[in-house]
Amino acid sequence: MVRVQEFTLILLTLSVCHGRQNNFIDEEFEPVVQDSKYGSLWPLPQKVFISPVSLKLSVPSFKITDAKDSSAGPGCSLLHSAYRRYYEYMFGGAKKLKFNKSSRTDPSGLMELQVWITSPDSECDGYPSVTSDESYELTVDQPYAVLKAPKVWGALHGLETFSQLVYEDEYGAKSINTTTISDFPRFAHRGVLLDSARHFLPIKVILANLETMAMNKFNVFHWHIVDDQSFPYLSRTFPQLSQQGAYHPYTHVYTPADVKMVIEFARLRGIRVIPEFDTPGHTQSWGKGQADLLTPCYSGSQLSGSFGPVNPILNTTYDFMNQFFKEISTVFPDSYIHLGGDEVDFTCWKSNPDIQKFMDQQGFGKDYSKLESFYIQRLLDIVTTTKKGYTVWQEVFDNDVKLKPDTIIHVWKGNQEQYQNEMANITSAGYQTLLSSPWYLNRISYGQDWPGIYKADPQDFKGTEEQKKLVIGGEACLWGEYVDATNLTPRLWPRASAVAERLWSAKDVTDINDAFNRLSAHRCRMVKRGIPAEPLFSSYCPNEYKGI
């Protein structure tokens, strides 16, 4: 029987007091606590066989090394930093790691993990993309284990999986069972959205969550970096935006060096960084540093002193957007930018006589969604010139904006029936789509809400197989109205882990009880690695969180 790594669960009671509920709570689920035949693997690989044969790992002699025929040699810093990272996770001391052939070996146990990148171009110096090959194969047997992957991105996932297979036996010895795994993600886009505008998130918090994302095989950090409340992005072209729009112009901004650090930290873990600069709504902080960008609101025939969405009738608006997104396209290397486009309040536009006149000239009548579409269309044309693709919230599609064929539509609104209808409509129109509606993790309740999160499937809607193929994944979203550095990580993890398995594992991986046992063990592993992931239910971890 395979041991559950670093996890012992004592079930204290099966009665749960229910507080305020949300749509995700699963009142029927009562866990049956037992070891999973898959140990503590999370997310569950596509194909996995774990035998009862146990091998010892000799810590002083064990090493992770490049296979002889690997296309990524000693010069691949991405892999070698990962070797050190995972050695420390498994054995608690990167200083012990040796890469040379002269290391002392222990013939009675597993001596090394050989990493073999099979494609001529390992992509070691590149950036992950939506088309990256993340597959890998892992074989654990004597005298060594072999991790084969076409690209470095799959190797990173394989290293995480290997580390999850290591456990301590009853005598405290590091052990691993002979194992065969063939693995790849079900969806290409597996994201986490963090909001750094409602509350500023220190860089160390962002980096810690990128690290945790890698432990869960997420591959997209959707950085909702600015919003109405603050503009912490320090622009080289328009420094006054953060100077006037951030909570504090020096302590609560992301400098170019900060952004570069986040992007590289993410790259080394196979994670894309997609920034979101949401317009024309959600832009109050933009207007503090950029004159005439926002629409002046009127009260009757007089200016009210307040401002609404971006002013869509001025040429200066588009001159600004052109310069701004040219900068963004050079700062963020990913091929996609998220342009928002959601929740535009038309009240201010309706009050402004210049806007009303423009509406008449354009023949828009009183339909202000046409004015929104006019703005969005011009913005999309601007971003297209930067050679970037774009993702937009579903309202842009709903308002019939003309979109490029490769536009990604991000679904976030409605209950299950509503978002399933939206997914069907978007894919029937031939567009790729992402799902977030059931995965707004800022919504909390008392009890176990993760089963509802776990059961939501992006392809669960009425449509053809061709439509289903247009669903490229989804994102767990943690909006920041009530979240900052003090509570972000425990609120996000391990609830986001439920989303991670849904987006990675096979469609038929739906056993809630097996998931509970593996996720409980995985949560304890994250705690051991220094991540304050909250508990699923009454239990304990051998290595409790020590705090800061």
Side-chain angles (χ1 to χ4, degrees):
M1 184 177 181
V2 179
R3 289 182 174 274
V4 176
Q5 176 193 349
E6 296 295 339
F7 172 68
T8 305
L9 180 67
I10 296 179
L11 189 57
L12 300 180
T13 178
L14 287 178
S15 64
V16 181
C17 296
H18 296 291
R20 188 164 55 90
Q21 306 297 303
N22 67 17
N23 291 333
F24 300 135
I25 201 72
D26 192 334
E27 297 183 40
E28 302 301 322
F29 177 64
E30 294 185 352
V32 177
V33 181
Q34 60 189 27
D35 288 357
S36 168
K37 67 178 181 179
Y38 300 114
S40 61
L41 288 175
W42 195 279
L44 190 66
Q46 297 288 335
K47 295 180 182 179
V48 53
F49 172 75
I50 304 176
S51 87
V53 179
S54 178
L55 305 173
K56 299 291 186 290
L57 281 72
S58 179
V59 177
S61 61
F62 184 84
K63 59 182 181 291
I64 308 173
T65 186
D66 300 313
K68 180 181 177 181
D69 297 325
S70 176
S71 64
C76 183
S77 60
L78 179 148
L79 279 183
H80 284 265
S81 66
Y83 297 167
R84 288 187 289 271
R85 187 164 67 248
Y86 279 102
Y87 190 94
E88 181 147 10
Y89 281 153
M90 292 184 289
F91 305 119
K95 63 183 179 182
K96 299 175 183 176
L97 182 58
K98 295 179 172 62
F99 297 113
N100 57 65
K101 296 289 184 180
S102 63
S103 299
R104 182 175 64 84
T105 60
D106 180 359
S108 66
L110 191 69
M111 296 185 294
E112 65 182 42
L113 170 61
Q114 296 182 358
V115 181
W116 183 4
I117 307 301
T118 59
S119 295
D121 179 12
S122 68
E123 298 186 4
C124 183
D125 297 321
Y127 289 91
S129 72
V130 72
T131 59
S132 289
D133 189 333
E134 299 177 277
S135 65
Y136 68 92
E137 295 180 357
L138 177 63
T139 303
V140 180
D141 205 349
Q142 283 184 308
Y144 49 79
V146 176
L147 169 58
K148 294 173 63 174
K151 305 292 184 181
V152 293
W153 319 117
L156 291 172
H157 297 315
L159 286 166
E160 174 62 36
T161 298
F162 183 86
S163 74
Q164 294 184 5
L165 291 167
V166 176
Y167 62 92
E168 289 186 1
D169 66 15
E170 58 267 36
Y171 304 106
K174 294 290 184 179
S175 304
I176 191 169
N177 289 60
T178 59
T179 303
T180 303
I181 288 175
S182 178
D183 202 11
F184 56 88
R186 180 182 169 203
F187 293 103
H189 186 120
R190 307 177 307 282
V192 171
L193 178 151
L194 296 184
D195 172 3
S196 62
R198 274 53 179 250
H199 285 96
F200 181 80
L201 301 177
I203 287 294
K204 67 178 183 179
V205 173
I206 293 175
L207 299 185
N209 277 278
L210 287 169
E211 190 75 56
T212 316
M213 286 172 62
M215 296 175 194
N216 291 271
K217 297 186 173 68
F218 279 108
N219 68 346
V220 175
F221 171 36
H222 176 170
W223 194 353
H224 188 86
I225 194 168
V226 302
D227 209 292
D228 280 330
Q229 292 79 4
S230 73
F231 197 104
Y233 172 77
L234 202 168
S235 166
R236 292 183 185 273
T237 312
F238 300 99
Q240 71 275 15
L241 289 171
S242 60
Q243 187 72 26
Q244 301 297 322
Y247 284 129
H248 190 283
Y250 306 120
T251 61
H252 286 58
V253 295
Y254 301 109
T255 67
D258 291 333
V259 173
K260 187 175 182 180
M261 181 193 304
V262 168
I263 292 170
E264 179 62 9
F265 191 93
R267 185 189 80 85
L268 292 175
R269 287 153 182 80
I271 298 171
R272 303 161 57 200
V273 178
I274 299 179
E276 181 183 352
F277 291 92
D278 189 1
T279 65
H282 293 274
T283 48
Q284 289 299 300
S285 66
W286 300 53
K288 295 177 181 179
Q290 186 66 22
D292 301 323
L293 180 64
L294 303 185
T295 304
C297 305
Y298 279 73
S299 178
S301 61
Q302 302 295 319
L303 286 167
S304 68
S306 61
F307 294 88
V310 165
N311 193 330
I313 71 173
L314 300 180
N315 289 332
T316 53
T317 293
Y318 302 103
D319 292 339
F320 165 81
M321 292 296 175
N322 185 51
Q323 293 183 66
F324 181 76
F325 280 102
K326 276 185 178 178
E327 174 188 325
I328 297 306
S329 69
T330 60
V331 170
F332 293 90
D334 198 82
S335 56
Y336 277 85
I337 298 172
H338 203 300
L339 297 176
D342 64 316
E343 297 182 315
V344 181
D345 186 345
F346 297 150
T347 305
C348 184
W349 281 352
K350 291 177 179 179
S351 76
N352 186 294
D354 294 327
I355 298 286
Q356 295 168 11
K357 182 179 179 181
F358 183 84
M359 292 280 289
D360 291 339
Q361 292 172 345
Q362 296 293 321
F364 292 163
K366 300 298 183 182
D367 187 353
Y368 284 84
S369 66
K370 291 183 178 179
L371 180 60
E372 178 188 6
S373 297
F374 174 86
Y375 166 80
I376 292 288
Q377 188 61 64
R378 290 197 62 175
L379 178 65
L380 299 185
D381 291 342
I382 287 170
V383 174
T384 299
T385 65
T386 69
K387 309 300 182 185
K388 294 286 189 183
Y390 44 77
T391 302
V392 293
W393 295 112
Q394 68 182 73
E395 287 95 322
V396 177
F397 170 82
D398 295 341
N399 290 338
D400 296 323
V401 176
K402 183 181 177 182
L403 300 169
K404 291 192 305 178
D406 64 344
T407 301
I408 298 172
I409 313 298
H410 197 162
V411 176
W412 71 277
K413 297 174 72 174
N415 59 28
Q416 184 177 11
E417 181 181 0
Q418 290 168 331
Y419 73 69
Q420 287 175 342
N421 289 338
E422 185 78 6
M423 299 285 281
N425 292 337
I426 291 168
T427 53
S428 67
Y431 292 108
Q432 293 181 317
T433 185
L434 296 169
L435 179 64
S436 281
S437 298
W439 297 325
Y440 266 40
L441 303 188
N442 47 289
R443 300 170 182 160
I444 58 173
S445 60
Y446 189 83
Q448 297 197 64
D449 64 354
W450 72 269
I453 296 167
Y454 187 79
K455 291 175 183 177
D457 193 294
Q459 291 182 332
D460 188 10
F461 61 89
K462 294 179 181 178
T464 66
E465 286 305 308
E466 290 304 310
Q467 284 180 254
K468 303 293 178 72
K469 291 177 183 177
L470 291 171
V471 181
I472 63 171
E475 292 183 357
C477 298
L478 192 69
W479 297 97
E481 287 88 350
Y482 304 97
V483 175
D484 67 2
T486 64
N487 63 344
L488 183 149
T489 304
R491 183 164 295 187
L492 186 59
W493 306 104
R495 297 161 75 233
S497 301
V499 182
E501 179 152 293
R502 182 56 49 233
L503 295 175
W504 179 281
S505 303
K507 185 179 178 66
D508 61 359
V509 177
T510 55
D511 186 331
I512 289 290
N513 204 73
D514 183 70
F516 172 82
N517 289 291
R518 286 184 295 108
L519 184 55
S520 297
H522 180 54
R523 178 256 168 178
C524 283
R525 177 170 46 238
M526 289 191 284
V527 167
K528 184 180 180 183
R529 293 180 181 184
I531 305 300
E534 68 182 15
L536 299 179
F537 196 52
S538 303
S539 64
Y540 81 92
C541 296
N543 301 93
E544 294 289 358
Y545 183 64
K546 301 297 193 297
I548 298 173

